[in-house]
């Protein structure tokens, strides 16, 4: 058993499952967004604002945002443990990724509830 | 034909180099790469490589032939030579001891980790633990592995984390014991594999399946381990 405290889930299995589930959420969000834009070719600000004022859309978007954060963290963590061998640099890289992800989540929520 | 061989003798050479040797195959026959190595060794006795059974059962002559891992003794020239040229290198990713001979310690250490033996804490029967033909059939495609390391040394995930990722060969063996009806340590075995590296570093690239000289499918076995982990956790 290889233990690693910086991974996301409690185990390799949870990381793996989270990665699959978040991928599905992100796919659904992307398909919805593309579909919405295709079916509303002359989308204006008012309509766009109304879309995001709707609670279900906020839930969906927040879900996509959190999914992206988790997905990106697990992905970047894996990549860093593959390719960055010096522990110090790897730790720095992981911290930067973590910080950036956190900033994006807070910023995203602010935008979402700011409309 | 032209053969380019990886040469490195740490006692004499500062760095590894490729040695180009022109050689005529007697009678132009389609011989095995291992036979070719013998011809090269006749010319230059300092060339080092491992071999034993010369018929694909001992797993000692795994090497990289024109970019593909395989057993030299059962690989005919016609299968790997391109434009009359053959490049021979040691198995990638493992430390080189000399020429085509690699240090397999890391590979064996991963094998050791999966406890490659039957564990059964029930009282032993008078004669032996019986299996039905169906239970025995579960081990087909698993027990045939000869530990040649062709698969693990072709796996990028093993190159990057040879100390943490078990690798295709070890995982195939892990599943061999998970699938054995006579083994009672399934839960403990699974618990040992449930971390982000041991199993989950496999990204399904399938290089392992591509090179296995015994035609085995480690990716499939890894998928089955993953399914066992999932059904145990949910
Ligand atoms: S399928 Fe998995 S074990 Fe096989 S080569 Fe790819 S990453 Fe390695
Ligand atoms: S699975 Fe195939 S390639 Fe891998 S060690 Fe076993 S026999 Fe060799
Ligand atoms: S010499 Fe035994 S497998 Fe090739």
């Amino acid at each position: 058993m290889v233990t690693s405290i910086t991974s996301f889930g409690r185990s390799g299995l949870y990381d793996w499952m989270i990665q699959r589930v978040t991928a599905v959420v992100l796919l659904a969000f992307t398909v919805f967004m593309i579909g919405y834009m295709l079916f509303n070719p002359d989308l204006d600000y008012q309509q766009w604002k109304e879309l995001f004022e709707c609670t279900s859309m906020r839930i969906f978007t927040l879900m996509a945002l959190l999914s992206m954060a988790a997905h990106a963290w697990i992905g970047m963590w894996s990549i860093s443990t593959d390719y960055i061998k010096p522990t110090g640099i790897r730790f720095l890289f992981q911290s930067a990724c973590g910080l950036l992800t956190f900033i994006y989540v807070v910023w995203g929520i602010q935008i979402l509830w700011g409309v | 034909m032209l053969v380019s061989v990886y040469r490195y003798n740490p006692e004499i050479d500062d760095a590894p180099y490729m040695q180009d040797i022109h050689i005529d195959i007697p009678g132009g026959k389609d011989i095995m790469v291992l036979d070719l190595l013998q011809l090269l060794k006749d010319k230059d006795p300092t060339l080092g490589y491992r071999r034993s059974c010369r018929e694909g059962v001992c797993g000692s002559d795994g090497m990289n032939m024109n970019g593909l891992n395989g057993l030299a003794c059962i690989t005919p020239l016609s299968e790997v030579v391109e434009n009359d040229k053959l490049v021979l290198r040691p198995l990638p990713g493992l430390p080189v001891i000399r020429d085509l001979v690699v240090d397999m310690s890391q590979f064996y250490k991963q094998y050791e980790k999966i406890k490659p033996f039957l564990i059964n804490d029930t009282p032993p029967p008078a004669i032996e633990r019986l299996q039905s033909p169906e239970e025995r059939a579960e081990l087909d495609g698993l027990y045939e592995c000869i530990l040649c390391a062709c698969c693990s040394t072709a796996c990028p995930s093993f190159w990057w984390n040879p100390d943490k990722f078990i690798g295709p060969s070890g995982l195939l063996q892990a599943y061999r014991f998970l699938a054995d009806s006579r083994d009672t340590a399934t839960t403990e075995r699974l618990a040992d594999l449930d971390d982000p590296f041991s199993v989950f570093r496999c990204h399904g690239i399938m290089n392992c399946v591509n090179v296995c000289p015994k035609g085995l499918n480690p990716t499939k076995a890894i998928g089955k381990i993953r399914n066992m982990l999932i059904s145990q956790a949910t």
Side-chain angles (χ1 to χ4, degrees), chain B residues 1 11 35 40 44-45 47 50-51 57 59 72 78 86 103 127 133-134 151-152 154 189 192 210 222 225:
Chain B
M1 67 178 285
E11 282 167 23
D35 303 326
L40 296 180
D44 178 356
L47 176 65
R50 284 195 186 106
R51 68 117 181 78
V57 294
S78 59
L86 179 62
D103 178 357
I127 307 181
E134 293 74 28
C151 56
S152 293
R189 288 181 189 277
D192 277 345
N210 197 24
I222 294 169
I225 298 179

Side-chain angles (χ1 to χ4, degrees), chain B:
Chain B
M1 67 178 285
L2 175 67
V3 188
S4 185
V5 197
Y6 179 100
R7 299 299 304 268
Y8 181 50
N9 180 349
E11 282 167 23
I12 314 172
D13 306 324
D14 295 331
Y17 63 97
M18 298 304 288
Q19 181 186 18
D20 285 348
I21 308 166
H22 286 275
I23 192 158
D24 289 317
I25 311 296
K29 280 194 291 187
D30 188 16
I31 57 174
M32 299 295 170
V33 175
L34 184 64
D35 303 326
L36 174 77
L37 279 166
Q38 186 56 51
L39 294 176
L40 296 180
K41 201 173 171 71
D42 292 342
K43 279 187 157 198
D44 178 356
T46 63
L47 176 65
Y49 56 89
R50 284 195 186 106
R51 68 117 181 78
S52 176
C53 70
R54 51 120 191 92
E55 55 183 6
V57 294
C58 72
S60 40
D61 61 345
M63 62 185 69
N64 189 276
M65 301 166 282
N66 267 356
L68 217 60
N69 289 355
L71 297 172
C73 61
I74 52 168
T75 308
L77 291 183
S78 59
E79 216 173 82
V80 280
V81 174
E82 258 173 57
N83 303 322
D84 226 27
K85 188 174 178 198
L86 179 62
V87 182
L88 296 175
R89 291 173 179 277
L91 289 175
L94 294 176
V96 173
I97 295 175
R98 178 176 169 169
D99 300 340
L100 299 174
V101 179
V102 290
D103 178 357
M104 309 259 282
S105 318
Q106 272 177 331
F107 175 77
Y108 292 136
K109 211 172 263 168
Q110 295 301 343
Y111 179 55
E112 208 184 318
K113 267 198 210 167
I114 62 108
K115 303 204 176 89
F117 41 83
L118 282 178
I119 303 174
N120 192 320
D121 44 23
T122 59
I127 307 181
E128 58 199 338
R129 296 187 199 279
L130 295 176
Q131 278 190 307
S132 69
E134 293 74 28
E135 287 169 342
R136 168 61 189 76
E138 288 293 314
L139 308 182
D140 287 342
L142 305 171
Y143 79 91
E144 299 94 329
C145 172
I146 55 172
L147 297 177
C148 64
C150 287
C151 56
S152 293
T153 58
C155 170
S157 291
F158 188 73
W159 295 340
W160 309 146
N161 290 293
D163 54 334
K164 301 194 189 82
F165 176 51
I166 305 267
S169 170
L171 289 171
L172 187 87
Q173 289 313 299
Y175 185 63
R176 183 243 169 277
F177 289 97
L178 284 167
D180 197 308
S181 60
R182 297 162 296 180
D183 191 279
T184 56
T186 308
T187 318
E188 295 85 334
R189 288 181 189 277
L190 286 176
D192 277 345
L193 295 171
D194 189 18
D195 62 82
F197 284 98
S198 303
V199 174
F200 288 96
R201 262 318 136 108
C202 169
H203 299 304
I205 310 158
M206 290 179 101
N207 278 6
C208 50
V209 183
N210 197 24
V211 296
C212 176
K214 306 304 266 183
L216 308 177
N217 190 334
T219 313
K220 197 169 147 198
I222 294 169
K224 290 193 172 164
I225 298 179
R226 200 155 49 208
N227 289 346
M228 288 179 92
L229 283 166
I230 293 172
S231 53
Q232 197 193 41
T234 49

